Amino acid sequence: MHPVPVLVGVEGGLVGQRFVVTTEGLRLGREPGNEVWLDDTGVSRQHARVILHNGAVWVQDAGSRNGVFVNGERVADHRVLKPGDRVSVGTHFFDLEYANPEGARSAAPRERAAPPASRKWKAWPFALALVGVASCVGCFGAYGWVRGDSAPAPAPAAPSYSLSTVLPADGLPPLPAAPSATTPALSDALAVASGQDATGRTAQLPQAPAGSSATELVERAHAQYETGRLNDARTTYQMALKLDPACEICTVRIERLNGEIAARAQVQLDAGLRYWDSMQVQQAIAAWETVLLLVPDPADPLHMQAADSLARARKP
């Protein structure tokens, strides 16, 4: 029987534990449902994924904040692993080995263990602080009653609302679990990969250049993504998917790019509205034109909102 790839914990909380890498993949993260659960605040809930695809083992950053490293080098998106490579997630290190099927075991999702009883004593500082805060509040209340201070408290300021969620400074938010009004639910490329009307939708994917291979196109798409050419990267991943409908890396990247492009377009749409409110007309027009470049589909809600705003701004 052929040897199977295994992740072996060599440093951190899972030292000595072995996890078989399969075509279903191993999810590494802080969420208890992951096959490799890492109880570490420096690890994202869905931090990384290791998967066996086309006979090779791949590691992929699942959008983590602190990154995934292979042999000390940060993985920008995904990377092929070789036997002996060391993968680090937070303070946890794993080596990739190949072992006989008898010496390996599959990983199952682990449940979060209950905190040890020795931690209970740490609750007393919080209880003491709560008592102190309550005492201070009582003192100030009694002082105000004695002074006869009956002036009404100022009303709180009305909250301000935005048409979109403000993006954090350190990156884009994870993709939503369910489709929303501004995020594409399922692209043509993903529909092909999942078998939904594959015959009709395959023809809609862009044609790959003659003589290109799926592997070459994946590498080209990765380089385009690194230079910020998101739409070009998505198109190239779609061409690779047309050559290899089983390319799981392509489907994952296309889904993530759909979310990133929609999020950036929403940021530009909101920026245009703020410029318009502050009478900065040219800046508003430039922001809305950027939305049309990011989302060229006229049927997309973001495209329609930006086009309507541009029409109003250019109306004499």
Side-chain angles (χ1 to χ4, degrees):
M1 300 180 70
H2 296 289
V4 295
V6 181
L7 275 185
V8 182
V10 295
E11 187 175 338
L14 302 180
V15 174
Q17 297 197 33
R18 304 169 67 85
F19 305 92
V20 176
V21 182
T22 66
T23 55
E24 298 296 325
L26 292 174
R27 297 170 299 168
L28 293 78
R30 197 176 72 250
E31 195 170 64
N34 291 305
E35 286 77 17
V36 183
W37 172 50
L38 304 173
D39 189 12
D40 186 342
T41 56
V43 176
S44 300
R45 295 173 63 85
Q46 299 288 341
H47 197 106
R49 190 182 186 199
V50 180
I51 186 171
L52 179 64
H53 179 67
N54 286 343
V57 178
W58 296 76
V59 61
Q60 178 190 18
D61 190 334
S64 66
R65 292 184 180 275
N66 296 326
V68 181
F69 295 82
V70 175
N71 300 329
E73 181 181 351
R74 182 161 186 169
V75 177
D77 183 49
H78 56 268
R79 175 170 171 174
V80 176
L81 296 177
K82 304 183 299 297
D85 281 349
R86 177 158 295 185
V87 180
S88 61
V89 175
T91 59
H92 308 270
F93 292 79
F94 303 87
D95 283 352
L96 177 65
E97 299 179 358
Y98 279 79
N100 293 326
E102 294 81 4
R105 64 178 181 85
S106 298
R110 304 174 59 210
E111 297 296 332
R112 184 183 297 273
S118 59
R119 294 186 180 180
K120 292 183 178 179
W121 67 272
K122 293 184 179 180
W124 70 265
F126 300 100
L128 184 60
L130 183 61
V131 172
V133 170
S135 300
C136 292
V137 171
C139 291
F140 281 111
Y143 178 72
W145 178 78
V146 170
R147 286 174 54 92
D149 206 354
S150 58
S160 59
Y161 297 95
S162 172
L163 295 180
S164 71
T165 302
V166 178
L167 295 177
D170 56 351
L172 297 173
L175 294 176
S180 64
T182 58
T183 303
L186 189 69
S187 68
D188 291 340
L190 294 179
V192 172
S194 60
Q196 299 182 17
D197 192 19
T199 303
R201 291 182 179 267
T202 301
Q204 301 177 19
L205 295 179
Q207 186 67 35
S212 299
S213 67
T215 302
E216 293 171 345
L217 291 174
V218 167
E219 294 300 326
R220 184 185 306 174
H222 176 58
Q224 291 169 336
Y225 177 81
E226 290 298 318
T227 56
R229 298 161 57 191
L230 301 188
N231 281 313
D232 291 342
R234 179 171 59 182
T235 300
T236 307
Y237 278 118
Q238 290 174 339
M239 291 190 297
L241 186 63
K242 188 169 186 177
L243 291 177
D244 181 12
C247 178
E248 185 172 355
I249 295 295
C250 297
T251 60
V252 171
R253 291 298 300 131
I254 291 168
E255 183 179 4
R256 181 174 177 182
L257 279 166
N258 283 340
E260 291 192 19
I261 291 171
R264 294 192 182 188
Q266 184 69 64
V267 170
Q268 291 296 322
L269 182 65
D270 290 345
L273 293 174
R274 291 193 296 271
Y275 284 132
W276 181 260
D277 291 341
S278 59
M279 304 301 292
Q280 301 180 60
V281 178
Q282 294 303 319
Q283 291 88 336
I285 291 176
W288 291 327
E289 288 177 340
T290 302
V291 176
L292 300 185
L293 292 175
L294 287 169
V295 188
D297 182 8
D300 189 281
L302 290 170
H303 185 104
M304 291 189 291
Q305 293 180 56
D308 291 344
S309 299
L310 279 174
R312 291 196 302 269
R314 291 170 174 168
K315 187 175 180 180

